[in-house]
Amino acid sequence: MNTDQALSREGARAGIWLLAFGIILVATNLRAPITAVGPIIGEIRDHTGISNTVAGLLTTLPLLAFALLSPLAPKISRRFGMEQTIMYSLLVLLTGIVLRSLHSVWLLFIGTALLGLAIALGNVLIPSLIKRDFPQKVGVMTGAYSMAMNLFAAIASGVSIPIAHGLSFGWQGSLICWAILAFIALAVWVPQLRKNAQTAVSVRAGSTAGAIWKFPLAWKVTLFMGLQSLVFYVGIAWIPQILQDQGVSPSAAGWMLFLMQFASLPGSFLMPVLAGRVSNQRLLVAITTGCMFIGYAGLLAGNTVLMPLWIILIGIAGGCSFSLAVMFFSLRTRSAAEAAELSGMAQSVGYLLAALGPTLFGFIHDVTQGWTMPLFLLLIVAFLLFLVGLGAGKNVYLTSAEKSAAS
């Protein structure tokens, strides 16, 4: 091997490591700006004078943005290239974080909508990018991506109040600090633009042009993504209140929510690695949904002695189910273009369900004056997740023959 070849190989290796680091940094921005809002939403409401219903839009609006833009993300990436589209999304994310932190109610919501649109692009395109550039390491990279996302989601929930009160930065300072992370991700991502021109052509050529919505397998993956999203966001919204109504103190309920998110981290990383090493993922689906069912059955039983165990099981199920859903985008498709189309479809429907879930379950609680019916419905959702997961976990692909038949 001559010197030029050695330098070329070293440069390629450095480029792969820089890309992997960039993906992880992008992932850290895909939930943290949203989960940072929950702990300080009361302070935002009191300072701005908005109602509780309007304040709830600060969490719901990004999810609606996900549902709106997700199916369009593959088309945008075919027009501009995946690397450039992700760079644009980081710029919009940075702008949104800054705008929502200014002293204006209108800018608060405009910025929230912008960051939701930006995150939607990253949600859809990163799994496709991993399939394209890390074909032999899809499980490991998906695990790292999922764990980084969930880790910083938990950190954001935990540090919002200390930053706002302990450091005396107020709610604006607590929200705008996430612009630093977005800026770092943007700076690390810029070198990826050098290969944007070549990859844009290949992604454009592989488009499924929307026909994927007709495939039964695509709908199984979509429902798996949607149902696990619904369970996650219902849990984030209502588990603290459920625990308090069972006699747990507000402080302890807050720690249980942190425990749930922390417990999701190992599964977020390990599940994609395991999923990539087996021929089908049905057993993994059964284990994941089993943990979810047992956890919520425990909450329904009201046994506060074993409450940490129920919360840990729910957290494990949440991390595993999200990572499995993301892995299905790669495992059930043959190309990065197909993965992007499937990801866009699944996340559009999935986050629409997620946006409706907390409001719907809150309404059921108000009507029934208790948590028995909402928790029982979550058990039904866990069972439905098991059923669609059996189909999504089958070792088959969205083949060209299936596309022709569907068309």
Side-chain angles (χ1 to χ4, degrees), residues 3 6 14 80 86 91 120 131 142 164 169 189 206 212 222 232-233 242 302 306 311 356 378 396:
T3 303
F80 297 103
I86 292 173
L91 284 170
K131 181 174 180 66
T142 301
F169 287 163
W189 192 258
I212 201 169
T222 294
F232 174 80
Y233 283 100
I242 291 171
L306 295 177
I311 294 298
L356 297 175
L378 285 176
V396 292

Side-chain angles (χ1 to χ4, degrees), residues 106-324:
W106 282 105
L107 291 180
L108 172 65
F109 286 96
I110 291 172
T112 298
L114 285 176
L115 70 87
L117 293 172
I119 292 173
L121 291 174
N123 281 337
V124 172
L125 297 181
I126 290 298
S128 174
L129 188 70
I130 290 173
K131 181 174 180 66
R132 188 195 72 189
D133 290 344
F134 298 90
Q136 305 303 318
K137 299 288 184 182
V138 170
V140 173
M141 283 303 302
T142 301
Y145 152 78
S146 300
M147 188 172 72
M149 184 188 301
N150 289 325
L151 173 62
F152 275 80
I155 290 173
S157 296
V159 303
S160 285
I161 290 179
I163 291 175
H165 297 164
L167 298 180
S168 301
F169 287 163
W171 67 265
Q172 290 100 336
S174 186
L175 293 182
I176 203 171
C177 71
W178 297 102
I180 299 172
L181 190 60
F183 179 80
I184 294 172
L186 178 62
V188 173
W189 192 258
V190 168
Q192 302 305 323
L193 298 182
R194 290 178 296 186
K195 63 178 181 180
N196 189 77
Q198 297 93 353
T199 57
V201 175
S202 64
V203 171
R204 189 158 46 242
S207 171
T208 58
I212 201 169
W213 288 78
K214 301 177 182 179
F215 310 156
L217 176 58
W219 276 103
K220 292 172 185 175
V221 174
T222 294
L223 287 174
F224 189 87
M225 178 70 189
L227 292 173
Q228 70 83 28
S229 296
L230 182 148
V231 173
F232 174 80
Y233 283 100
V234 168
I236 287 291
W238 293 117
I239 279 180
Q241 189 61 53
I242 291 171
L243 297 180
Q244 289 180 52
D245 289 349
Q246 291 180 349
V248 177
S249 70
S251 176
W255 278 110
M256 287 299 102
L257 186 62
F258 173 80
L259 177 63
M260 184 185 80
Q261 295 185 81
F262 185 78
S264 74
L265 298 180
S268 297
F269 179 76
L270 293 175
M271 183 56 72
V273 176
L274 294 173
R277 292 180 178 178
V278 295
S279 59
N280 70 71
Q281 294 73 41
R282 289 177 164 183
L283 177 60
L284 300 178
V285 167
I287 294 171
T288 297
T289 54
C291 288
M292 183 180 294
F293 191 93
I294 294 171
Y296 278 108
L299 287 187
L300 179 59
N303 188 331
T304 56
V305 175
L306 295 177
M307 179 186 62
L309 175 61
W310 311 140
I311 294 298
I312 289 172
L313 288 173
I314 292 170
I316 291 172
C320 290
S321 60
F322 173 77
S323 295
L324 262 179

Side-chain angles (χ1 to χ4, degrees), residues 4-20 133-134 192 194-195:
D4 289 342
Q5 290 175 323
L7 289 174
S8 177
R9 180 168 296 183
E10 288 296 323
R13 186 178 295 113
I16 287 294
W17 279 105
L18 183 62
L19 174 59
D133 290 344
F134 298 90
Q192 302 305 323
R194 290 178 296 186
K195 63 178 181 180

Side-chain angles (χ1 to χ4, degrees), residues 44-45 47-50 54 58 61 95-113 171-172 175:
I44 296 173
R45 178 201 60 209
H47 185 267
T48 58
I50 59 178
V54 175
L58 294 175
L61 199 57
T95 302
I97 291 173
V98 172
L99 286 179
R100 74 170 179 175
S101 306
L102 301 179
H103 294 271
S104 167
V105 173
W106 282 105
L107 291 180
L108 172 65
F109 286 96
I110 291 172
T112 298
W171 67 265
Q172 290 100 336
L175 293 182

